[in-house]
């Protein structure tokens, strides 16, 4: 069965600092991987997705993620955090029955 | 265009009552999903519709949970004889064709509180 592990339920960074949110997956088939963001009192919004094309995926709001098969990882990064990036971030993998398997989420806090 | 909508946004009910949660997917999307998000946890898959059939119901936690979909439109998730452990945010998502690579678009959710 496929699964996703997000290390760190809470991450705090200063405004302007690098953001790194970790995601590792387990899959017996080539995975499709997604990062979603959930702002307070809003629904989930897709940040980016990996669908077996380029391993470095660029998303909205300056985020990007790199698929590393050897490390079974799909970490999310942003070079410079903004206050508006404060939200909860979910990594997800798509299994071969089409549903998404989600990690438990990482709450990002950005301090001025 | 309009996104996925859900109603009600909040529902408070007493233990043992039945509740119905509604989802309106994006027009033209054939695939529809229900997920549950308990406090402090990730999203938990409940059921997947392709058109009005449900090829994957594996996530429904008990026979108190059921869902139906009318054509490629509205879906209703029904929870009978609600229990306190049913308290959660119930999220609906739709995608164009249900392919593994399709983006799932999420609604804002229904927050269910069972007293």
């Amino acid at each position: 069965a496929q699964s996703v592990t997000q290390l760190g339920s809470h991450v705090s960074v200063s405004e302007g600092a690098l953001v790194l949110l970790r995601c590792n997956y387990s899959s017996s088939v080539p995975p499709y991987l997604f990062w979603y963001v959930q702002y307070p009192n809003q629904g989930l919004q897709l940040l980016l997705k990996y669908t077996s094309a380029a391993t470095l995926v660029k998303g909205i709001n300056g985020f990007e993620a790199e698929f590393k098969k050897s490390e079974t990882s799909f970490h999310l990064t942003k070079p410079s955090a903004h206050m508006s990036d404060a939200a909860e971030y979910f990594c997800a993998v798509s299994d071969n029955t089409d549903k998404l398997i989600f990690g438990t989420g990482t709450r990002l806090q950005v301090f001025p | 265009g309009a996104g996925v909508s859900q109603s009600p946004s909040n529902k408070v009910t007493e233990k043992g009552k039945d509740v119905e949660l509604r989802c309106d997917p994006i027009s033209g999307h054939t695939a529809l999903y229900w997920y549950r998000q308990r406090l402090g946890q990730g999203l938990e898959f409940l059921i997947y519709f392709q058109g009005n059939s449900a090829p994957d119901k594996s996530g429904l936690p008990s026979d108190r949970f059921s869902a139906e979909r009318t054509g490629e439109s509205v879906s209703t998730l029904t929870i009978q004889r609600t229990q306190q452990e049913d308290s959660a945010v119930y999220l609906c998502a739709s995608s164009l064709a249900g392919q593994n690579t399709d983006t799932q678009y999420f609604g804002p959710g229904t927050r269910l509180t069972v007293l």
Side-chain angles (χ1 to χ4, degrees):
Chain A
Q2 297 183 328
S3 65
V4 172
T5 301
Q6 290 185 244
L7 291 176
S9 59
H10 289 82
V11 170
S12 298
V13 299
S14 298
E15 193 172 20
L18 171 71
V19 175
L20 170 60
L21 304 182
R22 298 179 185 275
C23 173
N24 288 88
Y25 67 90
S26 169
S27 175
S28 58
V29 299
Y32 300 118
L33 295 156
F34 302 76
W35 275 100
Y36 281 85
V37 60
Q38 187 175 33
Y39 297 105
N41 301 314
Q42 295 186 29
L44 275 75
Q45 178 182 0
L46 182 73
L47 273 177
L48 50 80
K49 64 181 180 181
Y50 167 76
T51 58
S52 74
T55 57
L56 181 62
V57 182
K58 295 187 183 297
I60 62 171
N61 301 338
F63 284 93
E64 62 182 37
E66 186 172 8
F67 172 69
K68 291 187 177 181
K69 184 178 179 180
S70 61
E71 299 177 6
T72 61
S73 69
F74 191 57
H75 301 332
L76 182 70
T77 60
K78 181 174 180 178
S80 176
H82 293 173
M83 296 295 291
S84 59
D85 294 327
E88 187 142 23
Y89 292 79
F90 292 93
C91 182
V93 62
S94 177
D95 73 3
N96 53 14
T97 62
D98 305 323
K99 62 181 176 284
L100 290 174
I101 309 298
F102 284 86
T104 52
T106 297
R107 184 167 298 280
L108 175 66
Q109 286 186 303
V110 182
F111 293 101
Chain B
V4 177
S5 61
Q6 293 185 246
S7 62
S9 56
N10 279 284
K11 176 72 177 178
V12 180
T13 189
E14 293 180 349
K15 178 180 173 181
K17 300 283 190 183
D18 298 352
V19 295
E20 282 191 355
L21 312 180
R22 177 187 168 107
C23 171
D24 281 89
I26 294 173
S27 178
H29 280 193
T30 64
L32 186 146
Y33 308 79
W34 284 97
Y35 294 87
R36 176 168 72 175
Q37 186 178 22
R38 295 186 185 178
L39 189 64
Q41 299 185 25
L43 279 73
E44 174 189 8
F45 168 80
L46 297 178
I47 187 169
Y48 157 60
F49 285 94
Q50 181 59 252
N52 63 3
S53 66
D56 189 352
K57 306 179 184 179
S58 63
L60 294 179
S62 76
D63 59 7
R64 296 187 295 105
F65 288 71
S66 63
E68 62 178 22
R69 186 180 183 196
T70 308
E72 293 184 356
S73 184
V74 173
S75 175
T76 302
L77 177 69
T78 301
I79 309 173
Q80 295 179 309
R81 305 181 302 281
T82 52
Q83 303 294 313
Q84 288 184 334
E85 62 262 27
D86 300 334
S87 295
V89 176
Y90 289 82
L91 290 161
C92 175
S94 70
S95 71
L96 186 61
Q99 300 296 313
N100 297 47
T101 56
D102 286 351
T103 296
Q104 293 186 22
Y105 295 87
F106 283 80
T110 293
R111 183 175 299 277
L112 174 66
T113 303
V114 182
L115 301 177

